[in-house]
Amino acid sequence: MPAATALVVGNIVGTGIFLLPASLAGIGTISILVFGLVTIGALALAIVFGKLGARIPASGGPYAYARDAFGEFLGFWTAWSFWLTAWIGNAAISFAWVGYVNYFLKWDSTAGKLLIGLVGLWIPALINLSGVKNIGAFQMVTTVLKFVPLIFVGIVGLFFISAGNFPAFNAGGDSFLGALSLAAGLILFAYSGMESVTIVAERVKDPERNIGKASVFGVLACAAMYMLATVAVFGTVPADRLASSTAPFADAINNMFGGSLGGGLMAACAVVSGIGALNGWTMLVAEMPMAAARDGMFPRAFGRLSRRDAPIVGIIVGTILTSLMLAYAYLGSESGFDTILLLASFTTAIPYFFSAGAQLFWLVTGGREVNKARMARDLALATLALLFGAWIVYGSGESAVMLGVLMMLVGVPVYIWTKARRGEYGPMERRAAAARATRSLGGTS
């Protein structure tokens, strides 16, 4: 249970939260309201994941749930979307991580930043290749090291708040709904990872009990940290400086106590946090396609394990793709962090939407006796989670949705190729083959 919760917290709390206040400052203090709304949706999803995990305690998480409810193609598409989220999201974590490493190194050239980011991606890849036991121990240590400073800023920072530092309520000048949805699209990524323990269900002891508890406890712990820390950073760093900061938590500590020692300690904690998050997410980059490959939904190579019980192909391929996405963020996009964040939010919302849909499907289609009060509660939670997923798609914005859909469509030829390699064809072909076989038998008789 502690290791499972640490995996959830460790994957939720990456370096994304350490840079997120700078992005939210440009939207305004409406972001604090959105944090509360997104937290409600995240808790509904965590509870849904717990119930789905108890019913289907198999590795793959959202992939397994969508496949069970809607068939193998939507199961594949969910796995594909989550796989996109995992390696795209790692690029966002690495991008934010670079800002805190550069608090010390000052490598401000594009090439220097890209090199730092690539080092941050391949160290966790090597840890994952060394085996699952090393992943768990490393995750426990890094989770503790990043939990403490976030709580420190969130609590102590409240005593240093100045009302004049807060950005305007709607600083971006967008419509209320537009600002609300944009902030939600950015904030969702801060909660991305709540499903982590469902992906590795087969590696969790007593999954029927521990998956739900780890998911809910992890979200609650992160929600408390996020809300307090965001308010504290907003109140201790002037809005104009915060919007352009590459290390907002370090700036907050420096403003609270003066000098740079405190900021250096916070930057060091953010560096550790980022490595821990990249470590956990690199595991998920490989675990989801491994589960799908075992069911014949991904190329077989993704299902192979090394002597150290590591899905070697998934780790290496995922890290290469993340490296390319990071290069795009630095070389091909003006606002790299926000671009990756919104794209990852869209691809995250797809597995969340179909997971909530799977729970709703199971609740309303089963011919069985139920407790009406419990049924009403579960239906309400599943519906809330479903609407939450749809809202995040809307909040991701037109550009992220367009690029995300294109990346989702790339998965269709992969699915076709995988099915063909298995010698399996669609229902029409099977019916035609059966009809030909019947006619052939009729002719010979």
Side-chain angles (χ1 to χ4, degrees):
M1 180 64 187
T5 305
L7 178 65
V8 175
V9 174
N11 279 7
I12 291 178
V13 183
T15 35
I17 184 58
F18 285 92
L19 187 58
L20 188 60
S23 296
L24 297 180
I27 300 174
T29 53
I30 189 175
S31 304
I32 298 172
L33 169 63
V34 177
F35 249 122
L37 296 175
V38 172
T39 298
I40 294 171
L43 280 172
L45 269 171
I47 294 170
V48 167
F49 281 131
K51 293 185 177 299
L52 287 167
R55 189 166 59 86
I56 309 173
S59 286
Y63 153 72
Y65 310 148
R67 187 174 189 269
D68 179 70
F70 306 118
E72 64 176 27
F73 177 70
L74 277 182
F76 165 83
W77 232 30
T78 298
W80 182 262
S81 182
F82 186 89
W83 185 60
L84 293 176
T85 298
W87 59 261
I88 293 169
N90 270 358
I93 295 171
S94 180
F95 190 98
W97 186 76
V98 169
Y100 282 93
V101 174
N102 255 346
Y103 187 89
F104 304 104
L105 296 183
K106 309 297 184 185
W107 290 8
D108 293 326
S109 68
T110 300
K113 292 177 181 178
L114 181 56
L115 179 60
I116 294 169
L118 292 174
V119 170
L121 291 176
W122 284 96
I123 288 175
L126 294 175
I127 294 171
N128 273 262
L129 289 170
S130 70
V132 70
K133 291 183 179 179
N134 293 330
I135 298 171
F138 188 80
Q139 202 69 23
M140 285 290 289
V141 172
T142 55
T143 297
V144 171
L145 287 176
K146 63 187 169 186
F147 212 121
V148 173
L150 280 175
I151 292 177
F152 179 82
V153 171
I155 295 176
V156 176
L158 297 178
F159 296 95
F160 293 85
I161 283 177
S162 171
N165 287 331
F166 281 88
F169 181 72
N170 187 358
D174 202 353
S175 66
F176 178 80
L177 182 59
L180 205 70
S181 297
L182 177 59
L186 292 172
I187 290 170
L188 172 69
F189 185 74
Y191 281 109
S192 182
M194 72 180 82
E195 72 287 355
S196 300
V197 73
T198 71
I199 309 297
V200 293
E202 291 179 1
R203 301 179 186 266
V204 178
K205 293 180 180 178
D206 193 9
E208 290 84 357
R209 182 174 64 90
N210 286 334
I211 286 177
K213 287 187 175 181
S215 299
V216 173
F217 290 163
V219 168
L220 285 172
C222 293
M225 282 192 298
Y226 284 173
M227 298 282 280
L228 290 172
T230 302
V231 171
V233 173
F234 271 11
T236 53
V237 183
D240 56 340
R241 282 182 51 204
L242 180 58
S244 59
S245 174
T246 58
F249 277 80
D251 291 341
I253 289 286
N254 289 339
N255 287 356
M256 287 159 57
F257 300 107
S260 59
L261 177 61
L265 290 173
M266 175 54 65
C269 290
V271 170
V272 173
S273 173
I275 287 292
L278 287 167
N279 178 64
W281 274 102
T282 299
M283 179 173 67
L284 298 189
V285 167
E287 288 279 343
M288 174 69 86
M290 182 184 73
R294 288 175 175 174
D295 290 338
M297 292 292 99
F298 256 60
R300 290 180 215 165
F302 284 88
R304 294 174 189 151
L305 297 177
S306 69
R307 292 179 181 177
R308 296 181 179 271
D309 200 31
I312 185 169
V313 173
I315 294 169
I316 293 174
V317 171
T319 307
I320 290 172
L321 290 170
T322 303
S323 301
L324 294 174
M325 179 58 69
L326 183 66
Y328 167 75
Y330 279 113
L331 303 175
S333 176
E334 293 183 4
S335 54
F337 183 70
D338 289 359
T339 299
I340 298 174
L341 221 60
L342 290 171
L343 177 59
S345 291
F346 168 74
T347 55
T348 297
I350 301 302
Y352 288 175
F353 182 86
F354 283 115
S355 294
Q359 173 71 351
L360 198 61
F361 179 86
W362 184 74
L363 288 171
V364 302
T365 60
R368 60 196 181 283
E369 293 185 6
V370 296
N371 180 295
K372 292 183 179 179
R374 187 176 300 170
M375 179 72 166
R377 180 200 64 192
D378 289 348
L379 279 173
L381 285 170
T383 302
L384 177 61
L386 192 77
L387 293 174
F388 177 69
W391 180 38
I392 296 305
V393 170
Y394 176 80
S396 299
E398 295 177 1
S399 297
V401 171
M402 181 186 72
L403 182 57
V405 168
L406 289 174
M407 296 177 79
M408 291 285 292
L409 292 177
V410 171
V412 176
V414 175
Y415 175 78
I416 295 169
W417 176 74
T418 304
K419 292 279 286 183
R421 286 290 301 269
R422 289 164 55 192
E424 295 182 5
Y425 308 99
M428 290 183 67
E429 287 81 356
R430 285 198 295 270
R431 286 197 296 270
R436 285 194 297 270
T438 301
R439 287 196 299 269
S440 176
L441 289 172
T444 56
S445 61

